Amino acid sequence: MKAIIAEKPSVAREIAQLLGAHEKKDGYLFGNGYCVTWALGHLIALGMPEDYGIRGFNKASLPIFPNPFILTPKKLKKAKGYEPDPSALKQLNTIQQVISQCSSIIVATDAGREGELIFRYIYYYLQCNKPFERLWISSLTEKAIQDGFKNLQPGDAFDGLYQAAKARSEADWLVGINATQALTIAGNQDVYSLGRVQTPTLALICQRFLQHQNFTKQKYFQIQLSHRKEYTDFTSLSQLQWEEKKQAEQIQKSIEREGRAVVEDVSVTTVQEQSPLLFDLTELQKEANRKLGLSADEVLQIAQSLYEKKFITYPRTGSKYIPEDLWTDIPELVRILNQTEAFKAAVTHLKFGNFNKRIVNDLKVTDHHGLLITTKIPSALSATEKAIYDMIAYRLLESLSHACSKQVSHIIIKVHHYEFQIKGSKILNMGWRAIKGILSDNENSNNKNEVLTELPEFKIGDELKISKTDLLEKTTQPPKLFTEADLLSAMENAGRSIENKEEQKALSNIGIGTPATRASIIETLLSRNYIIRKSKTLIPTDKGLQVYNLVKDKKIANVQMTAEWELALERIEKGELSKNQFMNDIQHYTTEITNELLSLHIPQENIPQLKCPKCQQHNVIIKDKIVKCPDEQCNWILFRTICGIQLSIKDLTLLLTQNKTSLIKNMKSKNGKKFDAYLILKDDLSTLFILQ
């Protein structure tokens, strides 16, 4: 009898169906020599400080270095601390029963770093010593699963992957727990959450926001000339920019008097614009954020759903390529798209037997290849699922097309000693751009300012009449606030922002976080109330800026160091670096940041001394999210955020001294309607609204 452990019930059911394990039991499926069970994501986690007998938020205890780390069942946060999750305990018990009646295990958790960690933590927590093999698949189609079972790999072949996952998990614990507790102790009041990746990401958002806020706009002027040649109208733009309007107007008048320009330089080149590669997860998230306004987390959930329905391959991939042995499957995927009305027109632009092989590169395929559709034709998709599926399908067709060929013209003309430029381009061969019929796409274009304009022929020395002049008033623009797509790019390319050129070269392709984790990092910052979504942009809250200002010069916010760690984790996975060496470095770093944060002096908000309305004995503790009595017997508590508005210190004071706040504006009801009201504290200590 063999035990199979999947990551989710839905995947377990697919595998069980294929293997003939049809008998349903509580928490697993049974039959044909197999017991198929499942985890529920991370069932096992690293223990919290109290699991080591260490009282939390105690300066004398920091930094905390567990040796060894304790594994505990997943816990849920309750009013009086953390308690084991009953559903996790139940499923762990089921897994233990399944393993006990089997001779060996097949690991079928997601084929990646976190999937490996989920299984290994369960395996070691249950003190299991039974042999295990690895099912490594990139798709949940019947063929992929069957092929995977024919090619099961030894469990120890993935020891490097596990060591990298374990190192990531323990490093995040050390940095997150110690930094959070150190800054909270220094802050004396509110809990500040810091993390190995979340804090450098917050720093990126805050830096961009402050650059945007502090930018001073400046006016400048350019002169535009209108021309006509060979029945074609076009314009030229001055190379110079002028700050003084009067000076620009004088030059404009002298150019009008001259009335003609002379062609000084002609550059006409043919440019091959390569077809895009397949999507990896980050690229898909960026594209869907730009085109559909979906968050990174929403895209990941939709892609995961499509994967579990067997319509696309494994989504948590960091590669845009496929291996050579998968190339023979590609024509079948194109034929399947050709059977679907929506893609028929696009497929006509491809020639079977003449596909572009640019996406084939064994060396650039990581744990999983680039995102592909599968041979299963989609049905019953939601609107967003269809949109994401279509993106992946169209990208496959584009990647198999040949380059788009363009003729790009750059002409310099002169009036007096002032130079003007004329730019234009025309499509010679649409290539991959024919798939969707999009002739210009700034995200993929090499020249962001390129305009698709056919120009007449020019020769050096040609004279051009000036039919009209215009003085254009322009304004310098601040750096754009981050959209989620922009932030994902900044996280992905964090190494490129390093000033030291040698270090930048070494880290140019290293980001912070991984394709699989970047969405959750953004969601963590949102849930901590460090950032908010405003229209399509991400901006820091006052609390986020406060945390950034406290740590911006500290190692905890160092983007470069976090990027270097991602490189180190990759080396651990490949067996090029020992986990112990990495963890020693993390411990030194943790000691430094803990001492840095404990030494901070954080000025306290002018918090009044307010008596608890229930016991009248103690002054309440006022935090960011709650106001509470410190006496556990009394246990009075008030949540500060009411109908989307955080109660100010002024209103808290009024409520607890006069039982009534000032008028609170723009609160939101459950149905989304805004209203203004006073908040009243009744004699029984419940609250109610009095509408204006």
Side-chain angles (χ1 to χ4, degrees):
M1 184 77 71
K2 289 192 175 185
I4 298 175
I5 302 176
E7 192 164 317
K8 290 181 176 179
S10 58
V11 178
R13 284 193 290 270
E14 291 289 343
I15 292 170
Q17 177 73 23
L18 199 62
L19 296 176
H22 300 307
E23 196 174 331
K24 288 184 181 177
K25 301 282 186 181
D26 189 11
Y28 67 99
L29 295 137
F30 174 80
N32 203 24
Y34 294 100
C35 281
V36 187
T37 187
W38 53 84
L40 298 165
H42 285 273
L43 287 179
I44 300 294
L46 298 177
M48 298 299 282
E50 51 267 30
D51 294 310
Y52 303 93
I54 298 170
R55 189 163 62 86
F57 299 94
N58 178 13
K59 188 173 182 178
S61 303
L62 299 181
I64 305 166
F65 294 129
N67 187 21
F69 277 91
I70 294 171
L71 294 175
T72 66
K74 179 185 170 188
K75 294 181 179 179
L76 299 174
K77 195 172 184 181
K78 301 286 186 182
K80 293 185 178 180
Y82 288 88
E83 294 176 9
D85 179 350
S87 62
L89 290 175
K90 184 182 179 207
Q91 193 59 23
L92 276 170
N93 189 42
T94 300
I95 293 170
Q96 190 160 31
Q97 285 177 31
V98 166
I99 288 173
S100 67
Q101 54 186 304
C102 294
S103 57
S104 65
I105 302 165
I106 295 171
V107 185
T109 49
D110 282 358
R113 193 187 282 175
E114 291 310 298
E116 192 68 23
L117 191 69
I118 285 168
F119 165 71
R120 297 284 188 123
Y121 273 0
I122 292 170
Y123 185 82
Y124 293 119
Y125 174 77
L126 296 177
Q127 297 181 336
C128 183
N129 55 14
K130 293 191 176 177
F132 61 89
E133 297 172 286
R134 192 61 160 100
L135 175 71
W136 193 268
I137 54 176
S138 288
S139 160
L140 287 176
T141 60
E142 193 172 307
K143 181 180 183 298
I145 295 171
Q146 285 173 337
D147 289 348
F149 271 97
K150 286 176 193 168
N151 296 289
L152 291 173
Q153 299 181 52
D156 59 10
F158 298 90
D159 283 353
L161 185 66
Y162 166 58
Q163 291 300 326
K166 190 167 185 270
R168 194 278 309 151
S169 174
E170 292 176 2
D172 283 350
W173 192 102
L174 290 178
V175 175
I177 294 288
N178 285 295
T180 294
Q181 295 205 7
L183 190 57
T184 299
I185 290 165
N188 202 30
Q189 277 289 331
D190 216 352
V191 175
Y192 296 90
S193 167
L194 300 179
R196 182 182 67 89
V197 184
Q198 79 174 52
T199 304
T201 304
L202 175 63
L204 287 172
I205 297 167
C206 290
Q207 284 164 5
R208 176 60 64 87
F209 175 77
L210 292 170
Q211 287 167 357
H212 181 89
Q213 291 290 96
N214 298 332
F215 185 84
T216 305
K217 289 187 175 184
Q218 292 181 318
K219 281 185 182 178
Y220 67 93
F221 299 88
Q222 281 182 287
I223 298 170
Q224 180 178 279
L225 309 180
S226 297
H227 313 276
R228 183 173 176 82
K229 185 176 192 284
E230 296 169 12
Y231 306 105
T232 304
D233 294 311
F234 54 94
T235 59
S236 60
L237 188 65
S238 62
Q239 300 259 49
L240 286 176
Q241 300 172 358
W242 294 274
E243 290 179 15
E244 296 294 327
K245 188 175 184 180
K246 277 189 177 177
Q247 185 187 6
E249 284 174 337
Q250 287 170 353
I251 294 164
Q252 181 187 12
K253 283 175 184 172
S254 78
I255 287 169
E256 282 177 348
R257 285 194 296 272
E258 179 66 21
R260 63 188 182 87
V262 177
V263 176
E264 190 178 59
D265 187 54
V266 177
S267 169
V268 180
T269 55
T270 301
V271 174
Q272 300 295 326
E273 192 180 48
Q274 289 296 336
S275 57
L277 296 166
L278 297 173
F279 283 123
D280 63 3
L281 176 59
T282 303
E283 198 62 35
L284 179 69
Q285 287 168 321
K286 284 156 56 177
E287 186 84 351
N289 180 253
R290 281 192 292 259
K291 302 281 173 68
L292 306 172
L294 294 171
S295 74
D297 190 55
E298 286 171 328
V299 177
L300 177 54
Q301 300 311 321
I302 294 162
Q304 184 69 22
S305 170
L306 289 169
Y307 168 66
E308 289 175 20
K309 290 175 180 176
K310 302 189 272 192
F311 298 140
I312 66 167
T313 57
Y314 187 66
R316 289 176 167 84
T317 176
S319 177
K320 298 176 181 178
Y321 296 86
I322 62 168
E324 181 73 45
D325 61 10
L326 200 59
W327 179 246
T328 52
D329 295 349
I330 297 298
E332 181 60 23
L333 299 181
V334 177
R335 284 189 195 97
I336 279 161
L337 290 177
N338 200 30
Q339 293 169 25
T340 311
E341 203 58 45
F343 299 103
K344 271 186 178 175
V347 173
T348 60
H349 297 287
L350 288 175
K351 288 181 183 173
F352 281 85
N354 188 29
F355 291 168
N356 186 348
K357 276 190 85 170
R358 186 167 173 248
I359 58 172
V360 178
N361 190 326
D362 285 335
L363 297 175
K364 290 191 177 180
V365 175
T366 51
D367 290 343
H368 294 278
H369 54 69
L371 266 166
L372 293 169
I373 60 163
T374 66
T375 52
K376 187 175 179 186
I377 296 171
S379 58
L381 295 183
S382 69
T384 49
E385 283 177 330
K386 184 180 185 306
I388 295 295
Y389 179 87
D390 287 359
M391 272 188 177
I392 295 166
Y394 275 120
R395 178 55 67 92
L396 168 63
L397 297 177
E398 287 176 339
S399 73
L400 298 174
S401 306
H402 290 275
C404 170
S405 178
K406 294 179 183 179
Q407 182 178 286
V408 178
S409 304
H410 188 213
I411 319 298
I412 302 293
I413 62 173
K414 215 170 188 179
V415 188
H416 300 312
H417 60 279
Y418 300 108
E419 289 187 341
F420 291 74
Q421 61 181 348
I422 304 164
K423 284 185 177 181
S425 70
K426 70 175 179 178
I427 301 280
L428 301 175
N429 185 336
M430 284 185 71
W432 66 270
R433 288 197 176 278
I435 296 297
K436 287 195 287 189
I438 297 172
L439 298 184
S440 180
D441 178 350
N442 285 344
E443 290 305 324
N444 292 318
S445 177
N446 294 325
N447 181 357
K448 304 291 188 207
N449 298 315
E450 180 186 304
V451 180
L452 285 171
T453 310
E454 278 201 48
L455 295 171
E457 279 192 29
F458 295 95
K459 295 194 299 292
I460 293 172
D462 280 355
E463 281 196 1
L464 284 179
K465 282 187 178 178
I466 299 166
S467 55
K468 185 187 172 192
T469 69
D470 290 291
L471 188 62
L472 308 180
E473 183 178 306
K474 298 185 177 183
T475 310
T476 54
Q477 295 301 310
K480 286 183 179 178
L481 293 169
F482 276 135
T483 62
E484 211 152 323
D486 297 333
L487 179 61
L488 287 166
S489 284
M491 293 172 77
E492 187 179 30
N493 302 309
R496 296 182 192 175
S497 64
I498 296 164
E499 289 180 11
N500 181 305
K501 292 298 175 191
E502 283 303 307
E503 290 173 353
Q504 186 194 74
K505 190 177 178 183
L507 295 169
S508 62
N509 295 318
I510 296 296
I512 57 176
T514 64
T517 61
R518 287 178 190 132
S520 66
I521 292 159
I522 296 170
E523 293 303 316
T524 296
L525 292 173
L526 287 160
S527 69
R528 302 275 188 234
N529 194 33
Y530 285 170
I531 63 172
I532 57 170
R533 288 190 178 98
K534 189 173 183 182
S535 187
K536 287 187 176 181
T537 61
L538 297 169
I539 62 170
T541 60
D542 289 344
K543 186 176 182 182
L545 285 168
Q546 182 193 17
V547 171
Y548 169 69
N549 284 321
L550 289 170
V551 302
K552 64 184 177 185
D553 300 322
K554 306 289 183 280
K555 285 186 166 66
I556 186 74
N558 188 322
V559 171
Q560 177 182 340
M561 188 163 286
T562 308
E564 286 172 353
W565 283 345
E566 299 297 347
L567 189 61
L569 290 170
E570 282 187 19
R571 292 182 62 213
I572 292 170
E573 187 174 326
K574 293 173 184 171
E576 297 169 0
L577 177 71
S578 83
K579 173 182 174 282
N580 289 343
Q581 173 67 53
F582 174 77
M583 292 309 298
N584 284 339
D585 291 345
I586 291 286
Q587 286 202 9
H588 289 309
Y589 168 82
T590 301
T591 302
E592 288 180 8
I593 60 165
T594 303
N595 292 334
E596 276 185 346
L597 295 170
L598 284 172
S599 67
L600 282 174
H601 172 68
I602 303 174
Q604 294 298 305
E605 188 180 7
N606 192 13
I607 294 174
Q609 301 289 302
L610 299 170
K611 278 271 184 288
C612 170
K614 184 177 177 183
C615 69
Q616 295 292 328
Q617 299 295 313
H618 304 277
N619 288 331
V620 294
I621 296 169
I622 300 174
K623 295 196 172 187
D624 186 53
K625 293 185 178 178
I626 60 168
V627 182
K628 68 174 186 175
C629 181
D631 185 350
E632 288 189 11
Q633 297 297 315
C634 171
N635 210 24
W636 179 81
I637 191 167
L638 174 76
F639 290 96
R640 263 183 91 170
T641 301
I642 297 173
C643 295
I645 301 292
Q646 185 190 52
L647 290 180
S648 66
I649 294 293
K650 175 191 162 192
D651 277 324
L652 279 174
T653 304
L654 287 170
L655 187 67
L656 297 184
T657 56
Q658 299 176 29
N659 297 338
K660 183 181 177 183
T661 65
S662 63
L663 185 67
I664 303 170
K665 295 190 172 183
N666 294 320
M667 287 193 283
K668 263 190 183 177
S669 64
K670 285 181 181 176
N671 62 13
K673 288 186 178 176
K674 289 189 176 180
F675 67 98
D676 303 340
Y678 299 94
L679 187 65
I680 302 292
L681 187 66
K682 293 163 65 179
D683 291 342
D684 65 359
L685 302 182
S686 64
T687 55
L688 64 81
F689 295 122
I690 294 183
L691 298 174
Q692 189 186 22

